[in-house]
Amino acid sequence: MQTVTSERGVRVTKVLLTGGIIAGPLYVGVGVIEALTRSGFDPTRHDLSLLANGSWGWVHSTLLVTTGLLAFAAAVGMRRVLRGNKGGKWGPLLLGLYGLGLVGAGFFAADPALGFPPGTPADARDVSAQGLMHLVSGSIGFLGLIAACFVFARRFASSGERRWALYSKLTGIFYFAAFFGIAMGSNGSGALLTTVIFGFIIAVILGWAWISAVSARLKRELT
């Protein structure tokens, strides 16, 4: 599998893959801190993207851009390792699309909604041009990650690595279901809204965990 042979090339690839290892914990850790400390934010009603609004909104925007760049770096590292192997082209490309989608979502903040930040009408759901770009960027990125999971699932299956194939496939399926759920149910309320938001939060955590796991695996193979 390994196509990086020079000592310098191995070092560079390891650094790139390390980006994929740390991106998930960084996103989840900072996101949790934001959700617990931002005034007026209710994780049972508000999507994490809303944290890009308000006086501290720059923190979440920076988080999206930073972790998006780290995911893109991991995709480059995966491409360097898997070049010439099954799934070695489209898997990394699709993961790179996810990273770029996060960067775009960071540049274009979601519109204030559902009473957040404080002062926003409780029934506010208007979508501006910037908010639309946020939705488009995020959606393209999420679909890229979902597709990457299935590409890697086929790659692992073809090499007889059934557990990794199943892990990748289940991650893609759950992420797709959660993404579809929040796309269809984000205009709901009460228990439905809470369910789709928590389902998507779990999917985001699982997706980042998968990126970290695959990055760490490929980094070990280089070693």
Side-chain angles (χ1 to χ4, degrees), residues 69-126:
L69 291 174
L70 290 172
F72 186 83
V76 174
M78 291 179 187
R79 174 64 175 156
R80 290 167 64 93
V81 175
L82 299 175
R83 183 181 288 111
N85 292 275
K86 186 178 181 63
K89 178 180 179 180
W90 284 105
L93 281 176
L94 290 165
L95 181 59
L97 184 62
Y98 172 64
L100 293 179
L102 289 182
V103 172
F107 276 112
F108 301 103
D111 292 309
L114 301 175
F116 186 85
T120 303
D123 59 348
R125 296 178 184 272
D126 295 335

Side-chain angles (χ1 to χ4, degrees), residues 152-220:
F152 272 95
R154 288 189 62 187
R155 203 204 83 77
F156 288 128
S158 68
S159 60
E161 300 170 275
R162 296 180 179 179
R163 292 183 178 180
W164 277 94
L166 180 61
Y167 176 36
S168 300
K169 184 180 295 184
L170 290 178
T171 300
I173 291 173
F174 190 90
Y175 211 117
F176 176 78
F179 174 66
F180 180 81
I182 201 166
M184 296 295 101
S186 59
N187 290 325
S189 60
L192 174 61
L193 182 61
T194 299
T195 299
V196 297
I197 287 179
F198 271 114
F200 191 68
I201 290 174
I202 293 173
V204 169
I205 294 173
L206 292 177
W208 279 120
W210 178 82
I211 293 173
S212 294
V214 175
S215 298
R217 174 200 167 92
L218 295 179
K219 184 178 179 181
R220 285 196 302 269

